[in-house]
Amino acid sequence: MKICCITSNPQIEYIKSDLEKLGKLSVYNKQKLNVNDVVALAKDSDILIAGSSGIASISKELIEKLPKLRFIALLTVGIDWVDVVFAKSKGIVVCNIKGANSESVAEHTWGMILDLAKRISEFDRDARFKGAYKFNDYKGKEVFGKTLGIIGLGDIGKKVARGAIGFNMKVLGLNKSKSAVQGVKLVELDEILIESDVIAVCAPLTRETKNMISRKEIAKMKDGVILVNTSREELVDKSAVIEGLDSGKIFGYGIETAMMTPIPPDDLYYSHSRVVVTPHNAFNTEEADRKSYELVVENIRAWIEGKPQNVVT
């Protein structure tokens, strides 16, 4: 059995010996490969281990050109870059690493919330590059006792909610499954928009969630709301957020942008001082790396044993 791993960050030492026991292993440190490049490396592979940083898209075209492929082990939780439906039609099982980096992303979400509330990065940038030092120009907000709204109560959203306990916050949550979450009052989106002082977007990118926060939704928010999106960038309308920042409707915005994609110097995000941008780094911790790769091995082993886990549909 041949196993091919393609990613821009191959921390394979965690699991190399385990994978070598399961098949003949090839590892490639690559970035955003196209179809032909992937085929050249993985054409005879039974198992493909891949992250979206290494392969631009696991598309129908790519899958068709990998005739021996039977299992795809994703190094991501999100699946919007994979044609899962076509893979399934070809009998290929696709598994993700659900939960492996949720702690890291939840902590990053709180890092952005507190950064924006206290205007830390804004003051730091201005102190470094503009000589700013007057504290009265950088008045922040406390989050203690305020209301936190969480859009999406999956593994990440639940951990973000847990963090609110220390700040004695009321927590409202939108949960597609309607399953109860301890410490969270389940509500519809409008109530989150109207009642929340801080809003965290933690939902996956789907057809239904794309641009789910735009001008109409922002207009319903409290004046001076803090908005953080550590999910996919496309969930929140970019120009609408900038307008909200300019008007004062939004106090600060935290955004995780696309993986391995540079942000142009004239980008709209950089036009406003109260935006904190990280180019897809919320998941990126030593602990999440280890858990992610270890879960990949578990997923492959479970599939080989005929009991696949973390299967995406």
Side-chain angles (χ1 to χ4, degrees):
M1 186 177 296
K2 293 185 177 181
I3 303 171
C4 180
C5 177
I6 302 174
T7 177
S8 69
N9 182 35
Q11 302 294 325
I12 208 74
E13 67 272 9
Y14 299 141
I15 58 169
K16 186 175 181 180
S17 62
D18 291 324
L19 287 174
E20 288 175 337
K21 293 174 184 176
L22 300 175
K24 184 179 179 181
L25 176 65
S26 299
V27 180
Y28 301 98
N29 184 347
K30 303 291 182 179
Q31 293 184 12
K32 296 289 185 182
L33 294 185
N34 60 32
V35 170
N36 291 334
D37 291 334
V38 176
V39 172
L41 300 177
K43 61 182 177 181
D44 295 324
S45 298
D46 304 281
I47 297 172
L48 176 64
I49 302 170
S52 56
S53 62
I55 298 177
S57 173
I58 300 180
S59 60
K60 176 182 177 180
E61 181 187 1
L62 174 58
I63 293 168
E64 285 180 325
K65 292 184 178 182
L66 299 174
K68 294 185 179 181
L69 190 63
R70 293 187 288 153
F71 184 80
I72 300 173
L74 301 180
L75 280 163
T76 63
V77 178
I79 59 172
D80 54 286
W81 61 288
V82 182
D83 193 333
V84 176
V85 173
F86 185 72
K88 186 177 179 180
S89 75
K90 302 291 286 186
I92 299 169
V93 177
V94 183
C95 293
N96 69 358
I97 53 168
K98 186 176 186 295
N101 59 28
S102 57
E103 196 71 63
S104 293
V105 179
E107 289 183 4
H108 195 94
T109 302
W110 271 107
M112 282 187 158
I113 290 170
L114 296 174
D115 187 308
L116 292 164
K118 300 295 291 181
R119 300 176 69 176
I120 296 170
S121 289
E122 181 187 2
F123 201 176
D124 177 84
R125 288 191 301 262
D126 286 357
R128 288 170 186 260
F129 303 119
K130 299 179 182 178
Y133 64 92
K134 296 180 180 179
F135 67 85
N136 49 307
D137 291 335
Y138 297 88
K139 192 175 295 295
K141 292 175 177 283
E142 291 183 356
V143 299
F144 187 88
K146 303 290 178 63
T147 297
L148 169 66
I150 303 173
I151 301 173
L153 286 167
D155 292 326
I156 296 167
K158 289 173 184 174
K159 289 180 170 66
V160 172
R162 184 193 62 202
I165 296 172
F167 295 103
N168 195 33
M169 299 181 82
K170 177 182 178 181
V171 184
L172 307 177
L174 176 64
N175 195 2
K176 184 179 179 181
S177 70
K178 305 297 183 183
S179 300
V181 176
Q182 186 175 3
V184 180
K185 179 184 177 183
L186 298 184
V187 298
E188 297 301 321
L189 179 59
D190 269 8
E191 188 166 344
I192 287 178
L193 300 175
I194 294 167
E195 298 296 331
S196 299
D197 302 287
V198 179
I199 297 175
V201 181
C202 303
L205 176 61
T206 65
R207 290 179 182 177
E208 292 75 26
T209 60
K210 186 175 183 179
N211 278 331
M212 69 182 302
I213 303 296
S214 192
R215 287 173 178 82
K216 181 177 71 173
E217 289 73 28
I218 291 172
K220 295 177 182 179
M221 296 178 185
K222 287 185 177 180
D223 291 343
V225 68
I226 293 171
L227 179 63
V228 169
N229 175 14
T230 48
S231 295
R232 291 293 189 270
E233 186 177 0
E234 295 88 346
L235 272 69
V236 179
D237 183 271
K238 187 174 186 176
S239 59
V241 166
I242 299 300
E243 289 173 11
L245 286 159
D246 288 339
S247 71
K249 170 64 75 171
I250 298 174
F251 186 78
Y253 182 53
I255 175 64
E256 271 267 282
T257 57
M259 180 179 282
M260 304 300 288
T261 303
I263 304 172
D266 60 350
D267 190 277
L268 277 177
Y269 291 135
Y270 292 153
S271 72
H272 209 289
S273 61
R274 295 195 191 182
V275 176
V276 173
V277 184
T278 52
H280 213 83
N281 197 50
F283 75 99
N284 189 25
T285 62
E286 297 171 2
E287 294 82 358
D289 260 357
R290 182 175 294 276
K291 285 185 282 188
S292 297
Y293 279 95
E294 288 175 350
L295 185 53
V296 163
V297 172
E298 292 175 21
N299 287 343
I300 293 172
R301 188 177 290 124
W303 172 72
I304 291 172
E305 294 172 354
K307 300 175 183 178
Q309 62 181 24
N310 296 314
V311 178
V312 296
T313 57

